[in-house]
């Protein structure tokens, strides 16, 4: 059984890295729908009490865990990527570092087939989504410590991180 994100982040000792490579995720998310309708800076987007992820990030970074997220995306950005950029200010405030890399600048990077997390440079959590960006039916989370997969994921992440733009400097088109 795969532990929850909260458990994985709570057990991280040094680092957690995350690579996102899709142009849209869970477009049925009520926060995304509200954002598309013009509602910005809702408490459910920015309040750690309502968006538990922010509290988990703050707890981990307060313990000294480095949390980095990199996004590879198409330009012009999808509505969902613009929404993610908007709500990512709260992630950064909680202690997460985020960088953005247009897909056209990543042609020479070898990527795994799925988004992933790597915890403490030893455990890979693979995320499986369906064609609409929803969690894939069945086991959408897969954990592995396979050294080949770990090497591919860490290498891809670091290559993206090196050339990506920090969140504070990136503005969607």
């Amino acid at each position: 059984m795969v532990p929850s994100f909260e458990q994985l982040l709570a057990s991280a000792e040094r680092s957690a890295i995350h690579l996102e490579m899709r142009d849209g995720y869970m477009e049925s998310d009520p926060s995304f729908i509200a954002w598309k309708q013009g509602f910005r800076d809702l408490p459910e987007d920015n309040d750690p009490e309502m968006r538990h992820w922010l509290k988990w990030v703050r707890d981990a970074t307060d313990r000294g865990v480095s949390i980095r997220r990199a996004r590879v995306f198409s330009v012009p950005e999808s509505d969902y990527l613009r929404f993610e950029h908007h709500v990512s200010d709260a992630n950064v405030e909680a202690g997460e570092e985020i960088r953005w890399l247009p897909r056209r600048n990543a042609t020479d990077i070898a990527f795994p087939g799925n988004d992933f997390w790597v915890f403490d440079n030893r455990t890979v959590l693979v995320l499986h989504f369906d064609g609409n960006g929803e969690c894939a039916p069945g086991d959408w989370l897969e954990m592995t410590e396979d050294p080949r997969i770990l090497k591919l994921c860490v290498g891809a992440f670091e290559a993206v991180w090196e050339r990506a733009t920090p969140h504070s400097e990136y503005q969607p088109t």
Side-chain angles (χ1 to χ4, degrees), residues 2 5 7 19 29 34 40 43 50 75 86 103 109 133 139-140 165 169:
V2 176
F5 280 115
Q7 292 167 323
L19 185 61
D29 176 354
R40 304 293 194 267
M50 299 182 80
V75 175
H86 177 76
R103 194 172 314 282
I109 299 173
D139 296 330
W140 79 283
T165 303
E169 298 172 25

Side-chain angles (χ1 to χ4, degrees), residues 84-128:
E84 276 196 326
H85 187 274
H86 177 76
V87 298
S88 289
D89 289 341
N91 292 51
V92 171
E93 190 174 311
E96 185 176 355
E97 295 178 76
I98 299 174
R99 292 192 181 179
W100 299 79
L101 183 67
R103 194 172 314 282
R104 69 181 65 170
N105 297 336
T107 302
D108 62 336
I109 299 173
F111 287 109
N114 297 289
D115 290 8
F116 61 85
W117 282 90
V118 175
F119 297 93
D120 291 329
N121 206 28
R122 69 172 178 252
T123 303
V124 179
L125 181 66
V126 180
L127 311 174
H128 298 282

Side-chain angles (χ1 to χ4, degrees), residues 140-164:
W140 79 283
L141 299 174
E142 173 187 352
M143 278 185 57
T144 183
E145 292 184 358
D146 181 317
R148 294 172 303 129
I149 295 172
L150 178 64
K151 182 179 179 182
L152 175 63
C153 291
V154 170
F157 180 87
E158 294 301 341
V160 169
W161 191 258
E162 181 179 298
R163 61 178 81 163

